[in-house]
Amino acid sequence: MKLFLDTANLEEIRAIKRWGVLSGCTTNPSLLAKEGKDWEVQMKEVCAEVDGDVSLETTESTADAIFEQGMRLASVAPNAVVKVVMTPEGLEAGSRLVAEGVPINVTLCFSPAQAILAAEAGARYVSPFLGRIDDIGADGLYVLEEICSIFEVQGYETDVLAASLRHPMHVIEAARLGADVATMPYDVFTKLVKHPLTDLGLEKFDSDWKKLQKELKEGAK
Ligand code: G3P
């Protein structure tokens, strides 16, 4: 399972990129708004910083306007993937973009039925939003499990991109269920690396090592 950052923040991208585990990035209008800068400049900078696909979301509402905007977004960078929302208009525009050779990510997906539509439209990615399903008292992981097993049975080539991940267990379960990609905010990424036993173990190694150095230095006197 590939790991993507769900952000439009360059510092966050640079920090995780240094770990050598970052395979792509997803953005959305809310994440770009958070940066508060010229969104076109920001999109370009994000695409330049990431070695891998970067999803850039359309904001128009008619199929023609989404298509036109999608074509413009696709020209931002060679690694741009156009996000379209799971609506009839988004699907129509998305299918037209695919026909033009533009890779798309169908977003705001909350059900297996929607995921099937995205796959049939030839999307590169479909993004089920786990956390937001959990937020309304349903089970995001169950929806993801259904989507992954349907895609397996059908042999769909569309990648399942688990999104709206809120904590490490979402990431672990997404991997177990067979998601192709997990996109997560910076704080979830940093939680993946942490374990109290790692910290305690490091503390012990460090103090034992320092003790030995001290003994050797004293022995040499
Ligand atoms: O990029 C889409 C998605 O991951 C949003 O997550 O936390 O706003 O539901 P969230």
Side-chain angles (χ1 to χ4, degrees):
M1 184 177 76
K2 288 186 176 153
L3 305 178
F4 284 17
L5 248 181
D6 198 26
T7 190
N9 182 281
L10 296 172
E11 290 315 311
E12 292 182 356
I13 292 168
R14 287 180 190 127
I16 302 299
K17 196 177 154 185
R18 285 195 287 271
W19 296 2
V21 297
L22 188 64
S23 296
C25 183
T26 49
T27 67
N28 61 37
S30 308
L31 292 170
L32 281 158
K34 215 162 117 188
E35 297 308 306
K37 297 183 205 151
D38 178 314
W39 56 272
E40 258 177 300
V41 174
Q42 193 69 16
M43 279 180 176
K44 276 199 177 77
E45 287 178 355
V46 168
C47 288
E49 200 60 56
V50 176
D51 300 321
D53 286 351
V54 177
S55 291
L56 306 175
E57 190 158 336
T58 52
T59 52
E60 297 291 345
S61 50
T62 65
D64 284 344
I66 298 168
F67 174 76
E68 292 304 328
Q69 190 185 22
M71 290 301 285
R72 279 201 306 280
L73 292 177
S75 68
V76 164
N79 55 341
V81 172
V82 175
K83 253 188 181 182
V84 296
V85 174
M86 172 50 74
T87 57
E89 295 75 16
L91 268 181
E92 182 184 330
S95 299
R96 285 167 57 191
L97 288 164
V98 171
E100 293 294 327
V102 173
I104 63 163
N105 174 357
V106 182
T107 191
L108 288 175
C109 171
F110 297 96
S111 76
Q114 292 180 322
I116 290 168
L117 287 172
E120 290 292 338
R124 178 175 294 182
Y125 301 106
V126 60
S127 297
F129 276 32
L130 274 60
R132 292 195 197 181
I133 296 173
D134 293 353
D135 287 345
I136 60 156
D139 187 347
L141 283 169
Y142 181 68
V143 173
L144 179 68
E145 187 172 14
E146 283 187 301
I147 294 171
C148 288
S149 63
I150 291 167
F151 276 38
E152 177 83 24
V153 169
Q154 294 296 324
Y156 283 144
E157 282 175 12
T158 298
D159 280 351
V160 179
L161 190 159
S164 185
L165 304 182
R166 304 279 170 76
H167 46 71
M169 275 314 288
H170 268 156
V171 181
I172 294 163
E173 285 299 302
R176 193 177 64 79
L177 295 171
D180 300 286
V181 183
T183 191
M184 69 205 84
Y186 177 78
D187 78 300
V188 175
F189 235 117
T190 57
K191 281 177 188 160
L192 294 183
V193 80
K194 293 298 283 181
H195 197 289
L197 290 178
T198 305
D199 295 341
L200 278 174
L202 181 61
E203 225 171 84
K204 177 86 172 86
F205 285 154
D206 198 43
S207 71
D208 287 347
W209 188 249
K210 281 183 181 139
K211 195 168 146 240
L212 173 67
Q213 302 308 310
K214 194 167 170 252
E215 283 166 6
L216 291 174
K217 208 167 158 190
E218 283 167 4
K221 278 182 194 166

